[in-house]
Every structure is written in structure tokens, then in C-alpha cells.
Amino acid sequence: MAAALRRLCAAARGTERSAAVCGEQRRRLSSGRLLFLLRSSRRPLPLLLLTGGGGAGYLGYRRYRLAELEEGEPKLASPAQVSLYRSIPLRLLSRCWGRVNGVELPGWLRKPLLGLYVWTFNVNMQEAAIEDLHHYRNLGEFFRRRLKPAARPLCPSSCLISPADGKVLHFGRVVNSEVEQVKGVTYSLENFLGPHGGSSPSSGSSSSSFCDRLLSSNQNDLFHCVVYLAPGDYHCFHSPTDWKVELRRHFPGSLMSVRPGVARWVKELFCLNERVVLTGQWQHGFFSLTAVGATNVGSIRVYFDQDLQTNAPLRGNASFYDRHYINQSDTSGPSEAGGGVALQKGEGLGEFNLGSTIVLVFEAPRHFQFHLQPGQPIRFGEALGSL
């Protein structure tokens, strides 16, 4: 009996010790949590990044989508807001992104990383000339991937084809030298292309006289078409017709985003951004193709012009820089009276480091008609319109 009582007392003391140990562990755990919170309160940046980054990204994406779907009169940014947006070092960030694109990826990382990009932007790798992701040494090579020859047949019945894969934002006739940026927002054609025929935008010329200088016949009109290239699109652009390039005009400019939501917010966005304007002649008169830069577009490359350098540190105060082309057979250098660079319909013309925008402005007979719908997806080689 006495032995049984001793065992019972020992068990009770063991239970008390276990309870004390558990209580001490709970107190330590609570103290640890409190200490973590106190330390985090002194260094809130990691918590803010973790908890706020995802929410801010989602809200920003939601606002962008709502802006794209919003109908009616667009709400334009004030000059102060535009100046604040332009003060962000987007050119420096884009140059850094361009350098990142050139960093060689280790073999084991190529397929997972590029596969994630393919999945995110719904890239059709079956159209690529090389489908194996291990072949692409860096992001830049993947962005500039070539397509299989049969992936983009050229429309034989149309005199004008799409120069790139993308989405048709706007098209139509140029009215009063104003070109539509997005629905309800326009920009000056003279500010976009720059002076023509020896005049300057500040010379006091009217908008009608500027258009008259572009037209070769009073029986023709000016037309425009805007194609937006998303990050998942094929990044090269091609000649949309048979024409001759006589002048390259490079506007250094800003590198703001050219997404439709931003284009609804910043008036004359295409006139503010860096762009390369190629102008010349086709069978009906004036013709121009403009590659517009954007945020994270490390470079705009034109294949026949190795001297062109975009997204470079700004030098000088000139608003644009001209180069007049001579015949390709002549290698003596640029000439003010150059004969131009002849391009055939569908010929490779250049490439973006990432998606951006192509703007066509051209002269054609007044009965020219587009065969397009606003917002429709389009692929390089498909018809834009006919006579």
C-alpha cells in the first residue's frame, strides 16, 4: 500500500514538472513571436514588400484592365502628372533590362525560365523555327526568335500587309493632321513625324499645308494604322509593301509604356516616346513606318542601318537626328540626295527587344479601304486593306 502511494505521488510530481515545462515552452514561444513582431516593426520594409507588393500589383493590373474597357471620354493626365511620370528613370531601367536580356542563362535554367514566359504570355512555340528552349542562350535570343517559313504566308492579293504580329489599335483616314492614338485621344501628325520639306513645327505652317506637302496628288488622302505588339508576340517587323526608304529620323524621347490603358491617359504619348521614323515612297506616294519604343524595350534595330543606336545615353539637345539613305549598292556613306533603300513586301526590316508599337502613315487613293476591326488580333503577312 505504501509503495503504491509513493508511485502515485511520483507520477503527480512528474505531471507537474511536465506542465511546468509546457508552460515554459509556451511562454518562450510567445516571447519569440513578440520579439519577431518588435523587430519587424523596427524594419517594416520586408513586411511591406511581402504584404503590399502583391496587392499593389493586383490593383494596378485591375486599374489597367478597367482603363482598357472603359467607355466614353478618356480621363487625361495633367501636365504635372505627365512630367512626374517622365521623371522616372525609365531609359536607365530599360537599358538595364536590355543588359539582363543579354546575360547567358545556364543550361539547366533555360527551359524552366523560358517555359514560364511561354506559359505566361501564351507563346506558340510550334511556329518557331527552333522549338527547343535549350537553344536560346539568353532572353534576348528568345525574344528575337525566328519563325518557320510557312508560319506567316504573305497575302498575295493585297498591296499592303501587316508588318508584325499584334493587335490593331486604330486605323483610318488622317483628318486635319490629327492621328488617333486611342479612341478619343489624338496627336499631331507633324509632331509625330517631324518637319517635312524644309519646314519646322514652329514655322507657323497650318495642319492642312503640312498634309499637302506630304501628298503627291490631290486625288489621294493620308491613312494610318497602329499595331500594338504585346510581350508574347513575335518581336520582328517586316516591310508592309514594296517601297523605298529615303530618310531615317530618330527621336530619342522618353520610354513610357505604350499599353492601351496608358495611351488613354497620356495625350500625345507617341510623340513623347523614343521612336524611329522611316519615310519614303511607294507606288501611290508618301509612305512611312514608325517603330515606337516603350518601357523595357532595350533597343529598336533596323537591319539595313547599323549606325542606328536607340535607348542610348542622351547626347546633345537636338529633338531628332536624320540620316538620308543612298542606294544599297553604293557604300560611300549617307547622302542628302540619296536614292533610298528598296524594300520588298514581307522583307525583314527590324526588331524590338520587347513588344512595342508600329505606326503606318501612308498616301493612297481616296477609295482605299481597310479590311480590319478595332482591337482585332493580326499576324504578319495578313492584309490590311485594298484598293
Side-chain angles (χ1 to χ4, degrees):
M1 188 69 171
L5 289 174
R6 284 195 298 272
R7 286 195 298 270
L8 183 61
C9 290
R13 287 194 296 271
T15 303
E16 290 176 357
R17 284 195 297 270
S18 298
V21 170
C22 292
E24 181 64 22
Q25 290 177 344
R26 285 194 294 268
R27 284 193 295 272
R28 289 179 179 176
L29 182 61
S30 299
S31 299
R33 289 174 178 172
L34 180 60
L35 182 61
F36 171 77
L37 292 176
L38 290 174
R39 289 177 176 175
S40 299
S41 64
R42 291 195 296 268
R43 295 182 298 176
L45 183 58
L47 285 178
L48 290 176
L49 291 176
L50 289 174
T51 59
Y58 172 76
L59 292 175
Y61 176 75
R62 181 179 176 85
R63 286 194 298 269
Y64 160 63
R65 293 298 299 168
L66 290 175
E68 282 190 317
L69 299 174
E70 184 182 358
E71 297 293 336
E73 190 71 18
K75 297 179 180 179
L76 297 177
S78 66
Q81 289 174 317
V82 175
S83 298
L84 181 62
Y85 184 17
R86 297 183 70 183
S87 68
I88 301 174
L90 296 175
R91 294 182 63 85
L92 177 60
L93 294 175
S94 298
R95 285 197 296 274
C96 293
W97 175 249
R99 291 182 180 274
V100 170
N101 289 344
V103 175
E104 184 170 352
L105 300 173
W108 60 269
L109 185 60
R110 294 176 188 178
K111 190 170 183 179
L113 182 61
L114 299 179
L116 177 62
Y117 188 94
V118 168
W119 177 79
T120 302
F121 295 104
N122 195 27
V123 178
N124 185 2
M125 287 303 296
Q126 294 181 349
E127 296 178 337
I130 300 177
E131 300 182 30
D132 184 10
L133 295 178
H134 285 103
H135 169 80
Y136 302 101
R137 295 174 297 176
N138 52 53
L139 291 171
E141 286 189 0
F142 176 74
F143 293 150
R144 299 186 297 271
R145 65 191 178 277
R146 297 299 186 263
L147 300 180
K148 295 175 181 176
R152 296 291 186 273
L154 306 183
C155 179
S157 60
S158 177
C159 61
L160 190 65
I161 61 173
S162 174
D165 289 6
K167 181 170 70 172
V168 177
L169 294 186
H170 290 283
F171 60 90
R173 203 179 304 266
V174 177
V175 180
N176 296 327
S177 288
E178 292 287 325
V179 182
E180 198 165 32
Q181 181 170 291
V182 293
K183 185 178 181 180
V185 179
T186 61
Y187 57 92
S188 165
L189 181 62
E190 187 171 8
N191 290 339
F192 180 68
L193 297 179
H196 181 78
S199 66
S200 64
S202 60
S203 62
S205 60
S206 66
S207 60
S208 59
S209 63
F210 177 77
C211 286
D212 291 342
R213 288 195 299 274
L214 297 181
L215 295 172
S216 62
S217 171
N218 56 13
Q219 301 299 316
N220 294 345
D221 280 338
L222 286 178
F223 298 84
H224 79 280
C225 181
V226 182
V227 178
Y228 169 69
L229 289 73
D233 288 324
Y234 170 57
H235 286 64
C236 299
F237 53 94
H238 299 250
S239 174
T241 189
D242 296 333
W243 65 304
K244 184 176 290 187
V245 184
E246 299 174 346
L247 173 69
R248 178 258 287 165
R249 176 166 288 161
H250 174 212
F251 292 81
S254 303
L255 283 175
M256 295 180 282
S257 172
V258 294
R259 294 181 305 180
V262 179
R264 289 181 60 88
W265 185 60
V266 179
K267 184 174 175 58
E268 296 208 338
L269 172 64
F270 294 161
C271 296
L272 298 174
N273 264 18
E274 181 169 24
R275 59 198 182 275
V276 177
V277 182
L278 303 177
T279 59
Q281 298 290 319
W282 74 319
Q283 60 178 325
H284 302 293
F286 174 82
F287 194 93
S288 73
L289 181 149
T290 302
V292 182
T295 306
N296 289 338
V297 177
S299 64
I300 301 171
R301 182 183 173 192
V302 175
Y303 294 144
F304 60 78
D305 189 345
Q306 300 301 317
D307 294 332
L308 175 64
Q309 292 186 349
T310 61
N311 195 14
L314 298 178
R315 296 185 177 90
N317 297 322
S319 58
F320 59 85
Y321 300 90
D322 284 352
R323 177 178 179 180
H324 296 259
Y325 296 118
I326 60 172
N327 292 323
Q328 286 182 305
S329 59
D330 189 345
T331 59
S332 60
S335 170
E336 294 296 327
V341 178
L343 297 173
Q344 295 181 342
K345 183 172 74 172
E347 182 179 347
L349 181 53
E351 61 192 34
F352 291 107
N353 203 50
L354 199 60
S356 192
T357 302
I358 295 288
V359 180
L360 301 179
V361 178
F362 57 93
E363 176 183 359
R366 292 174 180 172
H367 59 272
F368 177 87
Q369 292 189 349
F370 287 101
H371 303 312
L372 303 170
Q373 295 294 328
Q376 78 169 68
I378 196 168
R379 303 202 301 180
F380 156 58
E382 295 180 350
L384 292 181
S386 62
L387 293 168

